[in-house]
Amino acid sequence: MNWLEDEVVDMPETEIVEENIYLDEELLKNKSLIRVDMNAIQYPLFSRNPKRKVNQIVKYFFNQKRDIYINVVPMNGNYIPGELEEKIFITLMKLMKKKGMQRRFIVTANELKKELNMNTKDYVKRVKDALIRLASTNYQFKNTLYSNKEKSLLTKEVHTTIMSLEILRLEEEKNKSLKEKISDKRIKEAYEISVSDYFYDNLVSKGYLVYDSDILLTIDNGTSRTIYMLIEKLRFNDLYLKVDILFLIKRIPLKYDKKNIARTIQTIGKSLEELKEKNLIKNFNFIKDTTWEKSEVEIFFSEANLILKQDRFYTDLNDFKRMTTSLAISGMEHEPVLENLLEKKEEITLEVISEIMSKLPSVAKKLKTMPKTIKDSIDYYGIEKVLLAVQYLKKQKNLKSPRAYFLKSLENNWFDGEVLEVSLPKKESKSEDIALEILKNEKINDNLYQEFEKLPINIQNGIEGYVYREYIELCGMETKIQQLAFMGSRKKLICDYLQRYPQILENEKEIKVENENSKVEDTTIIDRQKLKEYIDEYIELYQDLMKIEYNNIESIRKKIILECMDYFINKNLTLEKLKEIIKTNFL
């Protein structure tokens, strides 16, 4: 895939480089958790080039047609943000949370120095220069800026900065009250930060991922930090991720030269080693079948990584809810968001979700992603609005995308004026008890689990898949409670399964051969209806997991079908190949 090509255009004075590629802290459970805007994770907003030049404009192209790009333009006489600016940006996100997640907040160089552990005497100048650089650099997005408000990438051309900056001189009379609040009288100025709308909208809504700022700032190498943030996004809740090397090179970005690509891969290898040493990944392996340009890297994560990731998200979410209920947040232009977060705090049991599911039209009941959609919607909008949306949805005819229509009706209050005609009976939940009861049983057959770990990784994954499906069937529904309970009792559940089916270990060699011989036959798709169902299910699941509604979903669907046709007709379309085609069209 042609991600980037380097092109340099010399102009008078300007060089363009194109590359185709205050809250009571007791309320916070984890003060280091921060929200990072989705765009700052998946795009190179901060340069990894240590030799940046003054007035150098960098343009990143992400396709051959050159109509998907980001243009990074520094202030005249300055250069684009790099390593220091990224660290300060991360620290600002941490301080913004401490100050109540307000879009506008005030910081001092001393605060930033303390959080960054800066020891240089000229820290005031370095911090100030970096803030100016962050506030003055203009980003031009074309078909690249993700907006959670629109729930998609914006197709229009957008020009924006990450934030704006006002320097407040404390000696001035108008800043007298601010000066009195600062105990260190040596401080001469403070900085008012205002996060730009596009980025802030994502941070207070769902266009973000949660990271531990202490971890990010202790990752010494900027490339390592970028890889860590990117793979955390790409893997979602999986313990295994395989990525094209060229994709990583261009998203970091690192300089791409076909002659020296092996050296670039060494750089990636060193970064992955750093992440492994810090226990942020379990292991990694480069896969080279032909050339390095077509190579891949597979990355493995431990169960602990997954539990910590999920815990970060829910801890931050709860912190944010506590903030919105305990602060009179002024100057915010996002009251609807806050109102939604302050909606009724009903207990969401499996019975409640099941009851709501029963009230949906039949076409929506068939969607496997609807239970989770219902739960997330109650979290965000409250039960009353969800019931109104369900009631409204049931009145519609010829629904082609019931889940998308349901979410849009919630977002736009299409049911406004409707009278609530349905109610939910109060029931006691037993399924949660089933899920959590498993955690009480801690006896694990270590020898049996060691034998399991000796199996090939594909067989391990297959066994775990069967175990998980059995577990979910026992619980009756798949929710966050069940997922966490499974992760906490995974080893025991696997051992129980192997005790019930000892032939798996006894006939390991035979199973391995049989799997190799029957792999194509077992996973080949030869039924048209099955193919349609697989495509629909994968697309629906992908949208749900990524929390993105694609406006061009029918166009994506057509591309997927066209790429599948030859394989399907020749009877060699496998599930693995179908997943690969779908993944390629969504990246």
Side-chain angles (χ1 to χ4, degrees), residues 7-166:
E7 183 178 315
V8 178
V9 181
D10 291 321
M11 295 179 64
E13 298 182 358
T14 298
E15 179 184 352
I16 299 178
V17 177
E18 292 191 350
E19 297 186 33
N20 203 21
I21 62 166
Y22 189 31
L23 172 70
D24 181 357
E25 293 191 12
E26 293 302 317
L27 290 172
L28 298 179
K29 186 175 180 181
N30 189 332
K31 302 179 183 67
S32 66
L33 295 184
I34 61 169
R35 295 181 173 190
V36 180
D37 168 80
M38 200 69 76
N39 299 290
I41 298 167
Q42 58 191 14
Y43 296 128
L45 303 190
F46 303 98
S47 175
R48 296 289 164 237
N49 182 5
K51 299 180 181 179
R52 290 165 292 150
K53 299 178 183 178
V54 171
N55 286 353
Q56 186 183 71
I57 300 170
V58 179
K59 198 166 188 176
Y60 303 99
F61 289 98
F62 297 100
N63 68 337
Q64 262 183 321
K65 293 172 64 178
R66 297 164 73 89
D67 60 353
I68 301 177
Y69 59 80
I70 298 174
N71 200 24
V72 189
V73 184
M75 178 177 68
N76 187 37
N78 215 316
Y79 48 87
I80 62 175
E83 179 82 8
L84 177 60
E85 287 73 31
E86 182 183 37
K87 287 185 175 181
I88 286 181
F89 170 75
I90 290 168
T91 306
L92 287 174
M93 296 299 98
K94 182 177 181 179
L95 292 173
M96 180 171 75
K97 183 176 181 180
K98 282 187 177 182
K99 296 170 188 290
M101 288 299 289
Q102 299 183 61
R103 188 166 72 89
R104 292 183 179 85
F105 58 98
I106 294 173
V107 299
T108 64
N110 263 26
E111 284 182 281
L112 290 166
K113 172 197 173 186
K114 181 180 177 181
E115 296 289 347
L116 287 163
N117 294 315
M118 292 180 74
N119 298 316
T120 56
K121 292 182 178 180
D122 63 340
Y123 74 89
V124 174
K125 181 181 184 306
R126 293 186 67 195
V127 165
K128 184 176 180 178
D129 288 348
L131 289 173
I132 291 172
R133 203 166 291 123
L134 279 170
S136 62
T137 300
N138 184 271
Y139 292 87
Q140 176 189 355
F141 295 89
K142 177 64 175 176
N143 293 315
T144 46
L145 183 68
Y146 174 72
S147 166
N148 185 67
K149 192 174 181 180
E150 301 294 331
K151 302 222 179 325
S152 65
L153 294 175
L154 300 180
T155 56
K156 63 182 179 181
E157 189 169 284
V158 176
H159 292 255
T160 182
T161 57
I162 293 177
M163 65 181 212
S164 62
L165 169 71
E166 185 177 348

Side-chain angles (χ1 to χ4, degrees), residues 511-554:
I511 292 172
K512 192 184 297 185
V513 172
E514 184 180 337
N515 283 345
E516 287 299 319
N517 293 336
S518 62
K519 185 176 180 181
V520 174
E521 180 184 350
D522 289 344
T523 61
T524 300
I525 305 169
I526 57 175
D527 183 85
R528 291 187 183 184
Q529 184 60 30
K530 281 289 183 186
L531 175 61
K532 181 181 180 302
E533 289 174 4
Y534 282 134
I535 292 175
D536 290 344
E537 185 175 343
Y538 284 142
I539 290 175
E540 184 75 28
L541 181 62
Y542 190 88
Q543 288 190 101
D544 181 65
L545 293 179
M546 295 303 295
K547 295 181 172 56
I548 298 173
E549 290 293 333
Y550 289 85
N551 293 330
N552 60 334
I553 194 65
E554 289 307 316

Side-chain angles (χ1 to χ4, degrees), residues 201-215:
D201 284 341
N202 283 344
L203 292 177
V204 297
S205 190
K206 291 186 178 180
Y208 66 88
L209 287 184
V210 178
Y211 295 89
D212 189 318
S213 60
D214 290 345
I215 290 176

